[in-house]
Amino acid sequence: MLLTHVRNTHIKEIMSWFSNEEEVHAWAGPNFRYPYDFNSFKKGLKLDEINSFVLLADDNTLMAFGQFYLRIGRCHLGRLVVNPEYRGSGIVATLITQLSELGQLTLATQTCSLFVLAHNKSAIKAYKKLGFVLADYPEPIPLANCLYMTKTPG
């Protein structure tokens, strides 16, 4: 699978992965506009400000999306989402591994972090399997019912 920059054609497909406001806000945060159109969705992702990538299968099937940026000295992963047709098949491990490696190199850091909703047990389990651990966040967490996880090399 190939991690590549997100394109407009990918945005339209990613938009279709969400069927209601609750799903969108769980993924993108409570300030993400809903309902959305192509332009507001693209603007909400802050594609000009945040490193944004998609994971493509060998046949160019869009498998996943994710972003990274520097947050408190770490490569912070955000808005991670797997194509609904492929959830539960291990795609998230490939996405996180490739996104983390690229992010650490790009941002010149050795550690990664992410936020996850406390009720998202499957995501927490996947992140722990990839070496992330629950950690204290040094500031108020931006979202209610959110956990902070970090991963250091080794």
Side-chain angles (χ1 to χ4, degrees):
M1 283 192 240
L2 173 69
L3 191 69
T4 187
H5 287 280
V6 67
R7 295 193 175 104
N8 285 341
T9 54
H10 301 136
I11 299 298
K12 290 181 181 182
E13 186 169 349
I14 295 164
M15 287 171 58
S16 74
W17 293 353
F18 304 98
S19 58
N20 59 55
E21 185 174 10
E22 183 179 336
E23 289 177 359
V24 170
H25 289 168
W27 168 67
N31 297 324
F32 201 89
R33 182 175 169 185
Y34 187 90
Y36 47 75
D37 59 27
F38 177 80
N39 290 326
S40 66
F41 193 88
K42 191 173 170 181
K43 182 179 178 184
L45 289 177
K46 300 179 181 179
L47 298 177
D48 294 333
E49 302 167 38
I50 300 175
N51 295 291
S52 304
F53 294 87
V54 293
L55 187 65
L56 300 176
D58 294 338
D59 66 358
N60 282 328
T61 299
L62 182 56
M63 303 301 286
F65 171 86
Q67 297 177 306
F68 68 79
Y69 58 94
L70 193 63
R71 185 180 199 127
I72 309 178
R74 293 186 170 100
C75 170
H76 190 81
L77 307 178
R79 295 192 176 133
L80 305 171
V81 64
V82 173
N83 182 329
E85 293 181 33
Y86 299 96
R87 290 183 185 154
S89 64
I91 299 298
V92 73
T94 303
L95 174 66
I96 288 175
T97 299
Q98 290 190 25
L99 204 56
S100 295
E101 288 173 0
L102 180 60
Q104 288 171 329
L105 182 66
T106 302
L107 303 171
T109 185
Q110 296 297 310
T111 59
C112 289
S113 64
L114 55 80
F115 289 116
V116 60
L117 292 173
H119 72 269
N120 193 344
K121 303 298 183 200
S122 61
I124 294 167
K125 182 179 176 182
Y127 301 152
K128 285 182 175 181
K129 189 174 180 180
L130 292 167
F132 284 83
V133 296
L134 293 173
D136 290 327
Y137 190 65
E139 302 171 359
I141 291 185
L143 298 174
N145 302 315
C146 211
L147 303 173
Y148 182 64
M149 300 183 80
T150 62
K151 179 181 179 183
T152 55

